[in-house]
Amino acid sequence: MAKSILIISRQAPWSGLSAREALDIALAGGAFDLPLGMLFLDDGVFQLSGGQQPALLQQKNLSANLQALPMFGVDELYACAHSLAERGLEHSVLDLPVQVLDAAALAALIARFDQVVTL
């Protein structure tokens, strides 16, 4: 059986390539039916908010890639409650159905996966 992988995305969608790379890894892993989950942490939670205008920063829009995650079998999507609160984001305004986790639940989540990739 394949090892489970947790991808932790910590970068805002407009701060460089890390957010896109994390999504690419998740989509590729999902295409190969790897058991994986994705955690949005720190500024990575900004990827979940709608109404972004990445073209103003000459960036590509990641929302289509994010919306494709469940179609590729990436159903385990998580967000850090503390990261959301620090950035003034409410769970109800997020574009993806994510499970919001507190610190204890985050630790348990990370321990559950065989491998963790942080971008």
Side-chain angles (χ1 to χ4, degrees), residues 16-102:
L17 297 176
S18 293
R20 178 168 296 284
E21 289 172 353
L23 284 171
D24 288 346
I25 292 168
L27 291 170
F32 288 100
D33 291 326
L34 294 177
L36 57 86
M38 189 157 187
L39 169 62
F40 298 90
L41 186 66
D42 299 330
D43 284 344
V45 296
F46 283 124
Q47 295 175 48
L48 302 171
S49 64
Q52 298 182 31
Q53 298 176 342
L56 297 175
L57 298 171
Q58 298 177 351
Q59 298 282 328
K60 291 187 178 180
N61 195 337
L62 298 181
S63 64
N65 294 39
L66 287 164
Q67 298 301 323
L69 287 171
M71 290 184 280
F72 279 77
V74 184
D75 296 320
E76 291 190 56
L77 302 173
Y78 307 95
C80 172
H82 181 73
S83 296
L84 289 169
E86 269 189 333
R87 288 150 184 87
L89 296 174
E90 296 288 329
H91 182 240
S92 60
V93 299
L94 302 180
D95 278 356
L96 280 178
V98 296
Q99 295 179 44
V100 178
L101 305 176
D102 62 16

